[in-house]
Amino acid sequence: VERANEPETKDRVRATTEAALQAGTFGVPTMLTDANELFWGYDSLPHLSAHLSGEDPLPADALSAWAHIQPSATRTQR
């Protein structure tokens, strides 16, 4: 808590936040793997675990069923 107001701490928070935005994160928690796969939310932890174990967290038919869905919102870069 004492270090929260130190310039180095604030700079680190700014840099980490900017890196997260550049990586495409959009909520907390968001996990980014070495393969640049994003997993968002606590409910995705089992999917993250499967991915890190080398398993495909989603069945192939699920991906094809979702291919036509358009996003309802998009993030614009500042």
Coordinates of all heavy atoms in Angstrom, one line a residue:
V1 N 0.8 -1.2 0.0 CA 0.0 0.0 0.0 C 0.9 1.2 0.0 O 0.6 2.2 -0.7 CB -1.0 0.0 1.2 CG1 -1.7 1.3 1.3 CG2 -1.9 -1.2 1.1
E2 N 2.0 1.2 0.7 CA 2.9 2.4 0.8 C 3.4 2.7 -0.6 O 3.6 3.9 -0.9 CB 4.0 2.1 1.7 CG 3.7 2.0 3.2 CD 4.8 1.6 4.1 OE1 6.0 1.8 3.6 OE2 4.6 1.2 5.2
R3 N 3.7 1.7 -1.4 CA 4.3 1.9 -2.7 C 3.3 2.3 -3.8 O 3.7 2.7 -4.9 CB 5.1 0.7 -3.1 CG 6.2 0.4 -2.2 CD 7.0 -0.9 -2.5 NE 7.0 -1.3 -3.9 CZ 7.1 -2.5 -4.3 NH1 7.4 -3.5 -3.4 NH2 7.1 -2.8 -5.6
A4 N 2.0 2.3 -3.5 CA 1.0 2.6 -4.5 C 1.1 4.0 -5.1 O 0.8 4.2 -6.2 CB -0.4 2.4 -3.9
N5 N 1.6 4.9 -4.3 CA 1.8 6.3 -4.8 C 3.1 6.6 -5.3 O 3.4 7.8 -5.7 CB 1.4 7.3 -3.7 CG -0.1 7.3 -3.4 OD1 -0.9 7.3 -4.3 ND2 -0.5 7.3 -2.1
E6 N 4.0 5.7 -5.4 CA 5.3 5.9 -5.9 C 5.3 6.0 -7.4 O 4.5 5.3 -8.1 CB 6.3 4.8 -5.5 CG 6.6 4.7 -4.0 CD 7.5 3.6 -3.6 OE1 7.9 2.8 -4.5 OE2 7.8 3.5 -2.4
P7 N 6.0 6.9 -8.0 CA 6.0 7.1 -9.5 C 6.3 5.8 -10.2 O 5.7 5.5 -11.3 CB 7.1 8.1 -9.8 CG 7.2 8.9 -8.5 CD 6.9 7.9 -7.4
E8 N 7.2 5.0 -9.7 CA 7.6 3.7 -10.4 C 6.4 2.8 -10.4 O 6.2 2.1 -11.4 CB 8.8 3.0 -9.7 CG 10.1 3.8 -9.7 CD 10.2 4.9 -8.6 OE1 9.3 4.8 -7.7 OE2 11.0 5.7 -8.7
T9 N 5.6 2.7 -9.3 CA 4.5 1.9 -9.3 C 3.4 2.3 -10.3 O 2.8 1.5 -11.0 CB 3.9 1.8 -7.9 OG1 4.9 1.4 -7.0 CG2 2.7 0.9 -7.8
K10 N 3.2 3.6 -10.3 CA 2.2 4.2 -11.2 C 2.6 4.0 -12.7 O 1.8 3.6 -13.5 CB 2.0 5.7 -10.9 CG 1.2 5.9 -9.6 CD 0.9 7.3 -9.4 CE 0.2 7.5 -8.1 NZ -0.4 8.8 -7.9
D11 N 3.9 4.1 -13.0 CA 4.4 3.9 -14.3 C 4.2 2.4 -14.7 O 3.8 2.1 -15.8 CB 5.9 4.2 -14.4 CG 6.1 5.7 -14.4 OD1 5.1 6.5 -14.6 OD2 7.2 6.1 -14.1
R12 N 4.4 1.5 -13.8 CA 4.3 0.1 -14.1 C 2.8 -0.2 -14.3 O 2.5 -1.0 -15.3 CB 4.8 -0.8 -12.9 CG 4.7 -2.2 -13.2 CD 5.3 -3.0 -12.1 NE 5.2 -4.5 -12.4 CZ 5.4 -5.4 -11.6 NH1 5.7 -5.1 -10.3 NH2 5.3 -6.7 -11.9
V13 N 1.9 0.3 -13.6 CA 0.4 0.1 -13.8 C 0.0 0.6 -15.2 O -0.7 0.0 -15.9 CB -0.4 0.7 -12.7 CG1 -1.9 0.8 -13.1 CG2 -0.2 0.0 -11.4
R14 N 0.5 1.8 -15.5 CA 0.2 2.4 -16.8 C 0.7 1.5 -18.0 O 0.0 1.2 -18.9 CB 0.8 3.8 -17.0 CG 0.0 4.9 -16.2 CD 0.5 6.3 -16.5 NE 0.0 7.2 -15.5 CZ 0.7 7.6 -14.5 NH1 2.0 7.2 -14.2 NH2 0.2 8.4 -13.6
A15 N 2.0 1.1 -17.8 CA 2.6 0.3 -18.9 C 1.9 -1.1 -19.0 O 1.6 -1.6 -20.1 CB 4.1 0.0 -18.6
T16 N 1.5 -1.7 -17.9 CA 0.8 -3.0 -17.9 C -0.5 -2.8 -18.5 O -1.0 -3.7 -19.3 CB 0.8 -3.5 -16.5 OG1 2.1 -3.7 -15.9 CG2 0.1 -4.9 -16.4
T17 N -1.2 -1.8 -18.2 CA -2.6 -1.5 -18.7 C -2.5 -1.3 -20.2 O -3.3 -1.9 -21.0 CB -3.2 -0.3 -18.0 OG1 -3.3 -0.5 -16.6 CG2 -4.6 0.0 -18.6
E18 N -1.5 -0.5 -20.7 CA -1.4 -0.3 -22.1 C -1.0 -1.6 -22.8 O -1.6 -1.9 -23.9 CB -0.3 0.8 -22.4 CG -0.1 1.1 -23.8 CD -1.4 1.7 -24.5 OE1 -2.2 2.3 -23.8 OE2 -1.6 1.4 -25.7
A19 N -0.2 -2.4 -22.3 CA 0.2 -3.7 -22.9 C -1.1 -4.6 -23.0 O -1.3 -5.3 -24.0 CB 1.3 -4.4 -22.1
A20 N -1.9 -4.6 -21.9 CA -3.1 -5.4 -21.9 C -4.1 -4.9 -23.0 O -4.6 -5.8 -23.7 CB -3.8 -5.3 -20.5
L21 N -4.2 -3.6 -23.2 CA -5.1 -3.1 -24.2 C -4.6 -3.5 -25.6 O -5.4 -3.9 -26.5 CB -5.3 -1.6 -24.1 CG -6.1 -1.1 -22.9 CD1 -6.0 0.4 -22.7 CD2 -7.5 -1.6 -22.9
Q22 N -3.3 -3.4 -25.8 CA -2.7 -3.7 -27.1 C -2.9 -5.2 -27.4 O -3.0 -5.6 -28.5 CB -1.2 -3.3 -27.1 CG -1.0 -1.8 -27.1 CD -1.6 -1.1 -28.3 OE1 -1.5 -1.6 -29.4 NE2 -2.2 0.0 -28.1
A23 N -2.9 -6.0 -26.3 CA -3.1 -7.5 -26.5 C -4.5 -7.8 -26.8 O -4.8 -9.0 -27.2 CB -2.5 -8.2 -25.3
G24 N -5.4 -6.9 -26.6 CA -6.8 -7.2 -26.9 C -7.7 -7.6 -25.6 O -8.8 -8.0 -25.8
T25 N -7.1 -7.4 -24.5 CA -7.9 -7.7 -23.3 C -9.1 -6.8 -23.2 O -9.1 -5.6 -23.6 CB -7.1 -7.6 -22.0 OG1 -6.6 -6.3 -21.8 CG2 -5.9 -8.6 -22.0
F26 N -10.1 -7.2 -22.5 CA -11.4 -6.4 -22.4 C -12.1 -6.6 -21.1 O -13.2 -6.2 -20.9 CB -12.3 -6.7 -23.5 CG -12.6 -8.2 -23.7 CD1 -13.6 -8.8 -23.1 CD2 -11.8 -8.9 -24.6 CE1 -13.9 -10.2 -23.2 CE2 -12.0 -10.3 -24.8 CZ -13.1 -10.9 -24.1
G27 N -11.5 -7.2 -20.1 CA -12.1 -7.4 -18.8 C -11.1 -8.1 -17.9 O -10.0 -8.5 -18.3
V28 N -11.5 -8.2 -16.6 CA -10.7 -8.8 -15.6 C -11.4 -10.0 -15.1 O -12.6 -9.9 -14.7 CB -10.4 -7.8 -14.5 CG1 -9.7 -8.5 -13.4 CG2 -9.7 -6.6 -15.0
P29 N -10.8 -11.2 -15.0 CA -9.5 -11.4 -15.4 C -9.4 -11.8 -16.9 O -10.4 -12.5 -17.4 CB -9.1 -12.6 -14.5 CG -10.4 -13.4 -14.3 CD -11.4 -12.3 -14.3
T30 N -8.4 -11.5 -17.5 CA -8.1 -11.9 -18.9 C -6.7 -12.5 -18.8 O -5.8 -11.9 -18.3 CB -8.1 -10.8 -19.9 OG1 -9.4 -10.2 -19.9 CG2 -7.7 -11.3 -21.3
M31 N -6.6 -13.8 -19.4 CA -5.3 -14.5 -19.4 C -4.9 -14.6 -20.9 O -5.7 -14.9 -21.7 CB -5.5 -15.9 -18.8 CG -5.6 -15.9 -17.3 SD -7.2 -15.3 -16.6 CE -8.4 -16.4 -17.2
L32 N -3.7 -14.2 -21.1 CA -3.1 -14.3 -22.5 C -2.0 -15.3 -22.5 O -1.1 -15.2 -21.7 CB -2.5 -12.9 -22.9 CG -1.8 -12.8 -24.2 CD1 -2.7 -13.1 -25.4 CD2 -1.1 -11.5 -24.4
T33 N -2.1 -16.3 -23.3 CA -1.2 -17.4 -23.4 C 0.0 -17.1 -24.3 O -0.1 -16.1 -25.1 CB -1.8 -18.7 -23.8 OG1 -2.1 -18.6 -25.2 CG2 -3.0 -19.1 -23.0
D34 N 1.0 -17.9 -24.2 CA 2.2 -17.7 -25.1 C 1.8 -17.8 -26.6 O 2.5 -17.3 -27.5 CB 3.3 -18.7 -24.8 CG 4.0 -18.4 -23.5 OD1 3.9 -17.3 -23.0 OD2 4.6 -19.3 -22.9
A35 N 0.7 -18.5 -26.9 CA 0.2 -18.7 -28.2 C -0.8 -17.6 -28.6 O -1.5 -17.7 -29.6 CB -0.6 -20.0 -28.3
N36 N -0.8 -16.5 -27.8 CA -1.7 -15.3 -28.1 C -3.1 -15.7 -28.1 O -3.9 -15.1 -28.8 CB -1.3 -14.6 -29.4 CG 0.0 -13.9 -29.3 OD1 0.3 -13.3 -28.2 ND2 0.8 -13.9 -30.3
E37 N -3.5 -16.6 -27.2 CA -4.9 -17.0 -27.0 C -5.4 -16.2 -25.8 O -4.8 -16.3 -24.8 CB -5.1 -18.5 -26.8 CG -4.8 -19.3 -28.1 CD -5.9 -19.2 -29.1 OE1 -7.0 -18.8 -28.8 OE2 -5.5 -19.5 -30.3
L38 N -6.6 -15.5 -25.9 CA -7.1 -14.8 -24.8 C -8.2 -15.7 -24.1 O -9.1 -16.2 -24.8 CB -7.7 -13.5 -25.2 CG -6.8 -12.4 -25.6 CD1 -7.6 -11.2 -26.2 CD2 -5.9 -12.0 -24.4
F39 N -8.2 -15.7 -22.8 CA -9.2 -16.4 -22.0 C -9.7 -15.3 -21.0 O -9.0 -14.8 -20.3 CB -8.7 -17.6 -21.3 CG -8.3 -18.7 -22.3 CD1 -7.1 -18.7 -22.9 CD2 -9.2 -19.7 -22.5 CE1 -6.8 -19.7 -23.7 CE2 -8.9 -20.7 -23.4 CZ -7.7 -20.7 -24.0
W40 N -11.1 -15.1 -21.0 CA -11.6 -14.0 -20.2 C -12.6 -14.6 -19.2 O -13.5 -15.4 -19.6 CB -12.3 -13.0 -21.1 CG -12.9 -11.9 -20.3 CD1 -12.3 -10.9 -19.6 CD2 -14.3 -11.7 -20.1 NE1 -13.3 -10.1 -19.0 CE2 -14.5 -10.6 -19.3 CE3 -15.5 -12.4 -20.6 CZ2 -15.8 -10.1 -18.9 CZ3 -16.7 -11.9 -20.2 CH2 -16.8 -10.8 -19.4
G41 N -12.5 -14.2 -18.0 CA -13.5 -14.5 -17.0 C -13.1 -15.8 -16.2 O -12.4 -16.7 -16.7
Y42 N -13.6 -15.8 -15.0 CA -13.3 -17.0 -14.1 C -13.9 -18.3 -14.7 O -13.4 -19.4 -14.5 CB -13.9 -16.8 -12.7 CG -13.1 -15.7 -12.0 CD1 -13.6 -14.5 -11.8 CD2 -11.8 -16.0 -11.5 CE1 -12.9 -13.5 -11.1 CE2 -11.0 -15.0 -10.9 CZ -11.6 -13.8 -10.7 OH -10.9 -12.8 -10.0
D43 N -15.1 -18.1 -15.4 CA -15.7 -19.3 -16.0 C -14.9 -19.9 -17.1 O -15.2 -21.1 -17.6 CB -17.1 -19.0 -16.4 CG -17.2 -17.9 -17.4 OD1 -16.3 -17.1 -17.5 OD2 -18.2 -17.8 -18.1
S44 N -13.9 -19.2 -17.6 CA -13.1 -19.8 -18.7 C -11.8 -20.5 -18.2 O -11.0 -21.0 -19.0 CB -12.7 -18.7 -19.7 OG -11.7 -17.8 -19.1
L45 N -11.6 -20.5 -16.9 CA -10.4 -21.2 -16.3 C -10.3 -22.7 -16.7 O -9.2 -23.1 -17.1 CB -10.4 -21.0 -14.8 CG -10.1 -19.6 -14.3 CD1 -10.1 -19.5 -12.8 CD2 -8.8 -19.1 -14.9
P46 N -11.4 -23.4 -16.8 CA -11.3 -24.8 -17.3 C -10.8 -24.9 -18.7 O -10.1 -25.7 -19.1 CB -12.7 -25.4 -17.1 CG -13.4 -24.6 -16.1 CD -12.8 -23.2 -16.2
H47 N -11.3 -23.9 -19.6 CA -10.8 -23.9 -20.9 C -9.4 -23.5 -21.0 O -8.6 -24.1 -21.8 CB -11.7 -22.8 -21.7 CG -13.1 -23.1 -21.8 ND1 -13.6 -24.1 -22.6 CD2 -14.2 -22.6 -21.1 CE1 -14.9 -24.2 -22.4 NE2 -15.3 -23.3 -21.5
L48 N -8.9 -22.6 -20.2 CA -7.5 -22.2 -20.1 C -6.7 -23.4 -19.7 O -5.6 -23.7 -20.3 CB -7.3 -21.1 -19.2 CG -5.8 -20.7 -18.9 CD1 -5.1 -20.2 -20.1 CD2 -5.8 -19.6 -17.8
S49 N -7.1 -24.1 -18.7 CA -6.4 -25.3 -18.3 C -6.3 -26.4 -19.4 O -5.2 -26.9 -19.6 CB -7.1 -25.9 -17.0 OG -6.5 -27.1 -16.6
A50 N -7.4 -26.6 -20.1 CA -7.4 -27.5 -21.2 C -6.4 -27.1 -22.3 O -5.6 -27.9 -22.8 CB -8.7 -27.7 -21.8
H51 N -6.4 -25.8 -22.6 CA -5.5 -25.2 -23.6 C -4.0 -25.4 -23.2 O -3.2 -25.8 -24.0 CB -5.8 -23.7 -23.8 CG -4.9 -23.1 -24.8 ND1 -4.9 -23.2 -26.1 CD2 -3.9 -22.2 -24.5 CE1 -3.9 -22.5 -26.7 NE2 -3.3 -21.9 -25.7
L52 N -3.7 -25.1 -21.9 CA -2.4 -25.2 -21.5 C -1.9 -26.7 -21.4 O -0.7 -26.9 -21.4 CB -2.2 -24.5 -20.1 CG -2.4 -23.0 -20.1 CD1 -2.4 -22.5 -18.7 CD2 -1.4 -22.3 -21.0
S53 N -2.9 -27.6 -21.3 CA -2.5 -29.0 -21.3 C -2.4 -29.6 -22.7 O -2.2 -30.8 -22.9 CB -3.6 -29.8 -20.6 OG -3.6 -29.4 -19.2
G54 N -2.6 -28.7 -23.7 CA -2.5 -29.2 -25.1 C -3.8 -29.7 -25.7 O -3.8 -30.2 -26.8
E55 N -4.9 -29.5 -25.0 CA -6.2 -30.0 -25.5 C -6.9 -28.8 -26.1 O -6.7 -27.6 -25.8 CB -7.0 -30.5 -24.3 CG -6.5 -31.6 -23.6 CD -7.2 -31.9 -22.3 OE1 -8.4 -31.6 -22.2 OE2 -6.6 -32.4 -21.3
D56 N -7.8 -29.1 -27.1 CA -8.6 -28.0 -27.7 C -9.8 -27.8 -26.7 O -10.6 -28.7 -26.5 CB -9.1 -28.4 -29.0 CG -9.7 -27.3 -29.8 OD1 -10.1 -26.3 -29.2 OD2 -9.9 -27.4 -31.0
P57 N -9.9 -26.6 -26.1 CA -11.0 -26.4 -25.2 C -12.4 -26.3 -25.8 O -13.3 -26.4 -25.1 CB -10.6 -25.0 -24.5 CG -9.7 -24.4 -25.5 CD -9.0 -25.4 -26.3
L58 N -12.5 -26.2 -27.1 CA -13.8 -26.1 -27.7 C -13.9 -27.2 -28.8 O -13.0 -27.4 -29.6 CB -14.0 -24.8 -28.4 CG -14.1 -23.6 -27.5 CD1 -14.1 -22.3 -28.3 CD2 -15.3 -23.7 -26.6
P59 N -15.0 -27.9 -28.9 CA -15.2 -28.8 -29.9 C -15.3 -28.1 -31.3 O -15.8 -27.0 -31.4 CB -16.6 -29.5 -29.6 CG -17.1 -28.8 -28.4 CD -16.1 -27.8 -27.9
A60 N -14.8 -28.8 -32.3 CA -14.8 -28.1 -33.7 C -16.2 -27.7 -34.1 O -16.3 -26.7 -34.8 CB -14.2 -29.1 -34.7
D61 N -17.2 -28.5 -33.8 CA -18.6 -28.1 -34.3 C -19.0 -26.8 -33.6 O -19.8 -26.0 -34.2 CB -19.6 -29.2 -34.0 CG -19.7 -29.6 -32.6 OD1 -18.7 -29.5 -31.8 OD2 -20.7 -30.2 -32.2
A62 N -18.6 -26.5 -32.4 CA -18.9 -25.3 -31.7 C -18.4 -24.1 -32.5 O -19.1 -23.1 -32.7 CB -18.4 -25.2 -30.3
L63 N -17.1 -24.2 -33.0 CA -16.5 -23.1 -33.7 C -17.3 -22.8 -35.0 O -17.5 -21.6 -35.4 CB -15.1 -23.3 -34.0 CG -14.2 -23.4 -32.8 CD1 -12.7 -23.7 -33.2 CD2 -14.2 -22.0 -32.1
S64 N -17.7 -23.9 -35.7 CA -18.4 -23.6 -37.0 C -19.8 -23.1 -36.7 O -20.3 -22.3 -37.5 CB -18.5 -25.0 -37.8 OG -19.2 -25.9 -37.0
A65 N -20.4 -23.4 -35.6 CA -21.7 -22.9 -35.3 C -21.6 -21.4 -34.9 O -22.6 -20.6 -35.1 CB -22.3 -23.6 -34.1
W66 N -20.5 -20.9 -34.4 CA -20.3 -19.5 -34.1 C -19.8 -18.7 -35.2 O -19.7 -17.4 -35.0 CB -19.4 -19.4 -32.9 CG -19.9 -20.1 -31.6 CD1 -21.2 -20.4 -31.3 CD2 -19.2 -20.5 -30.5 NE1 -21.3 -21.0 -30.1 CE2 -20.1 -21.1 -29.6 CE3 -17.8 -20.5 -30.2 CZ2 -19.7 -21.6 -28.4 CZ3 -17.4 -21.0 -29.0 CH2 -18.3 -21.5 -28.1
A67 N -19.4 -19.2 -36.3 CA -18.7 -18.5 -37.3 C -19.5 -17.4 -37.9 O -18.9 -16.3 -38.3 CB -18.2 -19.4 -38.5
H68 N -20.8 -17.5 -37.9 CA -21.7 -16.4 -38.5 C -22.0 -15.3 -37.6 O -22.6 -14.3 -38.0 CB -22.9 -17.1 -39.1 CG -23.8 -17.6 -38.0 ND1 -23.6 -18.7 -37.3 CD2 -25.0 -17.0 -37.5 CE1 -24.6 -18.9 -36.4 NE2 -25.4 -17.9 -36.5
I69 N -21.7 -15.5 -36.3 CA -22.2 -14.5 -35.3 C -21.4 -13.2 -35.4 O -20.1 -13.3 -35.4 CB -22.1 -15.1 -33.9 CG1 -23.0 -16.3 -33.7 CG2 -22.4 -14.0 -32.8 CD1 -22.9 -17.0 -32.4
Q70 N -22.0 -12.1 -35.5 CA -21.4 -10.8 -35.6 C -21.3 -10.2 -34.2 O -22.2 -10.3 -33.4 CB -22.2 -9.9 -36.5 CG -22.2 -10.3 -37.9 CD -20.9 -10.3 -38.6 OE1 -20.1 -9.4 -38.4 NE2 -20.6 -11.4 -39.3
P71 N -20.2 -9.6 -33.8 CA -20.0 -9.0 -32.5 C -21.0 -7.8 -32.3 O -21.3 -7.1 -33.3 CB -18.6 -8.5 -32.4 CG -18.2 -8.4 -33.9 CD -19.0 -9.4 -34.6
S72 N -21.5 -7.7 -31.1 CA -22.5 -6.6 -30.8 C -21.7 -5.3 -30.4 O -22.3 -4.3 -30.4 CB -23.4 -7.0 -29.7 OG -22.7 -7.3 -28.5
A73 N -20.4 -5.5 -30.2 CA -19.6 -4.3 -29.8 C -18.2 -4.5 -30.2 O -17.8 -5.7 -30.4 CB -19.7 -4.1 -28.3
T74 N -17.5 -3.5 -30.5 CA -16.1 -3.6 -30.8 C -15.3 -2.5 -30.0 O -15.9 -1.5 -29.7 CB -15.8 -3.3 -32.3 OG1 -16.3 -2.1 -32.7 CG2 -16.5 -4.4 -33.2
R75 N -14.1 -2.8 -29.8 CA -13.2 -1.9 -29.0 C -12.4 -1.0 -30.1 O -11.9 -1.5 -31.0 CB -12.2 -2.6 -28.2 CG -11.2 -1.7 -27.5 CD -10.1 -2.4 -26.8 NE -10.6 -3.1 -25.6 CZ -10.7 -2.6 -24.4 NH1 -10.4 -1.3 -24.2 NH2 -11.2 -3.3 -23.4
T76 N -12.4 0.3 -29.9 CA -11.6 1.2 -30.7 C -10.4 1.6 -29.9 O -10.4 1.8 -28.7 CB -12.4 2.4 -31.1 OG1 -12.9 3.1 -29.9 CG2 -13.6 2.0 -31.9
Q77 N -9.3 1.6 -30.6 CA -8.0 2.0 -30.0 C -8.0 3.5 -29.8 O -8.5 4.3 -30.6 CB -6.8 1.6 -30.9 CG -6.7 0.1 -31.0 CD -6.4 -0.6 -29.7 OE1 -5.7 -0.1 -28.9 NE2 -7.0 -1.7 -29.5
R78 N -7.5 3.9 -28.7 CA -7.4 5.4 -28.4 C -6.2 6.0 -29.0 O -5.2 5.5 -29.4 CB -7.2 5.6 -26.9 CG -8.4 5.1 -26.1 CD -8.3 5.5 -24.7 NE -8.5 4.2 -23.9 CZ -8.2 4.1 -22.7 NH1 -7.6 5.1 -22.0 NH2 -8.4 3.0 -22.0

